[in-house]
Amino acid sequence: MTIPRLAAEDLPAEIAALLRPRVERLGYLGEFFRCAAHQPAALASFMAFTEDLKRALPDRLTETVALTVSTLLENPYERHQHEGLCLKLGFDQDWIRAVEALEPARAELSEAESRVQALALAVVRRHGKDTTAELDASVALIGYAQAIAALMLVGRYVTHALMVNALDLAPPVESPLTRG
């Protein structure tokens, strides 16, 4: 059985209010939210969790985690949206492609971006086990608070990828990197 997609007018009032700025900015209500709104309190917490973590890290580190996890877990739904966001933030296509290559030692990445990507890759690939070296390297460069934010952000993007993949959601937008 498929999860019914809620229409905008069927969303609980508190979720509709939370999503309104995003829907107005993007011009559509994404399928992820149309499904996840069946659990309005959890969706509201997920959105607050995301925003709290985005405030805890510089944009380039946030986007490094988002692109890394969405690429590694084959989640084009999220990857395409973050590619577009990166371009809006002024990050160039070469940097986006470097992150998506999943090779932390690439010259296009700063030392902090490389360490955070290495941490994200290790956590996802090894299910969080035996990642002390990558975590310590991140902490040494960006500090405890930002390293914890990066770890929590990995978990956030893993959650999104698993849900999107389980729901078999198609990306709402194409990759801005493939547009003519």
Side-chain angles (χ1 to χ4, degrees):
M1 172 184 277
T2 264
I3 304 294
R5 277 52 170 168
L6 295 174
E9 59 273 8
D10 297 326
L11 295 176
E14 67 275 9
I15 293 300
L18 275 174
L19 292 175
R20 188 170 296 112
R22 178 172 277 135
V23 170
E24 289 171 356
R25 185 182 81 241
L26 296 174
Y28 63 87
L29 175 61
E31 249 190 306
F32 175 82
F33 293 112
R34 293 176 63 208
C35 292
H38 287 288
Q39 285 294 322
L43 178 56
S45 296
F46 185 78
M47 292 173 64
F49 182 65
T50 301
E51 293 305 314
D52 288 344
L53 293 172
K54 286 170 74 175
R55 283 189 293 275
L57 289 169
D59 289 341
R60 287 180 81 95
L61 294 184
T62 296
E63 295 310 311
T64 296
V65 172
L67 291 172
T68 298
V69 176
S70 63
T71 299
L72 184 62
L73 295 181
E74 301 175 21
N75 180 8
Y77 189 104
E78 188 86 293
R79 184 174 47 82
H80 294 179
Q81 291 188 14
H82 280 276
E83 289 169 348
L85 177 57
C86 285
L87 293 172
K88 285 180 186 172
L89 290 170
F91 308 159
D92 65 35
Q93 290 187 19
D94 290 339
W95 182 84
I96 297 167
R97 286 188 175 97
V99 174
E100 291 176 351
L102 305 181
E103 299 168 0
R106 291 189 61 123
E108 298 92 342
L109 304 182
S110 72
E111 186 177 2
E113 294 157 7
S114 293
R115 288 190 184 180
V116 166
Q117 183 173 59
L119 176 61
L121 290 168
V123 167
V124 175
R125 287 176 173 157
R126 292 181 281 204
H127 309 278
K129 297 178 186 286
D130 301 317
T131 59
T132 302
E134 292 86 358
L135 180 58
D136 287 349
S138 290
V139 168
L141 192 62
I142 64 173
Y144 297 106
Q146 286 190 354
I148 288 295
L151 283 174
M152 294 177 87
L153 203 56
V154 167
R156 182 269 184 229
Y157 286 108
V158 166
T159 297
H160 187 280
L162 295 178
M163 284 185 64
V164 164
N165 292 344
L167 293 166
D168 198 26
L169 302 183
V173 296
E174 67 182 20
S175 171
L177 303 184
T178 59
R179 292 184 194 145

